[in-house]
Amino acid sequence: MSDNELEGTEAPLLDHLIELRRRLLYCVLALVLAFAVCFYFVKPIYGFLVHPLAQAGQDKLVFTSIMGGFFVELKVAFFAAVMVAFPIVAVQLWQFVAPGLYRKEKKALLPFLLATPALFIAGASLAYWVTIPTALHFLLGYQGQLGGGVEQVALPDAEKYLGFVMQFLFAFGISFLLPVLLMLLERAGIVTYEQLKGAWRYSVVAAFAIAAVLTPPDIGSQLLLAIPLCGLYFLSLVAIWFTRRRREKESEKEAAAEAAAGE
């Protein structure tokens, strides 16, 4: 690979630091603006997050401190702002890193950059629409008469419920980035396709262990995370096989072209 495939990577360290500061300022500005907008619309966003709880039959949230409701809304706005600003932050990161990459490296990394938010949203959507309602129905099922005229009633704390929802959304979103992680590791030469293929049994066990840690103790919620993780692992194997085969064909074509040019 020749040096002329690099596009202006000979900038001195000071220029890189100035560029990094500029990109970080853009990221902070995007996060601040997103936070301001999300705080203005915090009531609808908060309503969206508590909708699964209402669907499970719980129509009340409590907070036990005077400032509790205010801080919960701050957290909701910040959580939403991070989600909204993430594409802008990813673009700024790409624009900082891209000038130092070869054209082939840019071509290889760009699909991963595009796939990351899509996979994260897919995982968070599965958590919101399926897993969280299932977990809530299971956990709220412990309400009712205990005998002797005593009734057990759930009064969810607003801050703890928000933490519960955020844990699910981020856990599922990050878990769905498994294909991106495995393909990057294979691309970097840290692992090989043969190693990943041979470790599929351990990966299935690991998927169920992760699901057991991140979800409530009911088998339904655990399966809703473990099964997609297993499917994503095998999907990653297929994708790695195709991409490796394509790279091999491109290398063969380049070698043939160089041999022809040498003659």
Side-chain angles (χ1 to χ4, degrees):
M1 189 176 294
S2 60
D3 291 338
N4 59 9
E5 291 184 356
L6 285 170
E7 299 175 359
T9 60
E10 297 82 6
L13 177 61
L14 181 60
D15 290 347
H16 285 300
L17 294 176
I18 293 173
E19 177 68 10
L20 177 61
R21 184 185 66 177
R22 187 164 71 94
R23 297 299 175 188
L24 289 176
L25 286 175
Y26 286 153
C27 293
V28 172
L29 180 61
L31 185 59
V32 170
L33 291 176
F35 177 80
V37 173
C38 292
F39 190 74
Y40 182 80
F41 294 102
V42 70
K43 295 293 185 183
I45 298 172
Y46 196 10
F48 177 77
L49 292 176
V50 301
H51 179 70
L53 186 64
Q55 292 293 102
Q58 188 72 30
D59 59 355
K60 287 184 176 63
L61 277 174
V62 300
F63 52 89
T64 56
S65 65
I66 298 298
M67 301 291 289
F70 173 70
F71 283 121
V72 166
E73 293 194 356
L74 280 180
K75 290 180 180 180
V76 169
F78 180 75
F79 168 67
V82 170
M83 302 288 287
V84 171
F86 175 77
I88 299 175
V89 173
V91 168
Q92 294 302 317
L93 177 63
W94 172 254
Q95 290 180 344
F96 175 73
V97 173
L101 301 175
Y102 291 100
R103 289 191 181 95
K104 285 187 176 181
E105 293 172 335
K106 293 180 184 179
K107 186 178 178 181
L109 288 177
L110 189 57
F112 297 112
L113 181 65
L114 298 176
T116 297
L119 289 171
F120 185 90
I121 292 173
S125 298
L126 175 65
Y128 179 83
W129 295 109
V130 181
T131 309
I132 291 176
T134 302
L136 288 174
H137 277 93
F138 170 77
L139 296 173
L140 293 176
Y142 286 94
Q143 298 183 93
Q145 293 290 337
L146 298 179
V150 178
E151 183 180 5
Q152 184 169 259
V153 179
L155 292 175
D157 180 81
E159 189 170 0
K160 291 181 179 178
Y161 173 76
L162 180 62
F164 172 82
V165 172
M166 291 173 61
Q167 175 187 347
F168 267 83
L169 295 180
F170 276 109
F172 274 68
I174 293 174
S175 297
F176 269 56
L177 299 182
L178 179 64
V180 174
L181 174 62
L182 293 180
M183 294 183 73
L184 285 175
L185 290 175
E186 190 274 339
R187 186 82 182 187
I190 299 175
V191 296
T192 64
Y193 170 77
E194 288 73 19
Q195 289 173 332
L196 293 173
K197 183 179 178 181
W200 72 268
R201 295 178 182 83
Y202 304 103
S203 302
V204 171
V205 174
F208 278 88
I210 292 171
V213 172
L214 297 179
T215 61
D218 65 298
I219 189 64
S221 299
Q222 294 174 7
L223 289 175
L224 287 173
L225 178 58
I227 292 176
L229 279 178
C230 294
L232 288 170
Y233 185 85
F234 291 111
L235 180 63
S236 302
L237 292 180
V238 175
I240 290 172
W241 183 82
F242 275 108
T243 54
R244 189 180 70 167
R245 186 177 180 184
R246 186 179 63 183
R247 290 200 307 267
E248 291 174 351
K249 288 183 178 180
E250 290 177 354
S251 299
E252 291 174 359
K253 289 181 181 179
E254 290 180 358
E258 291 177 359
E263 293 176 359

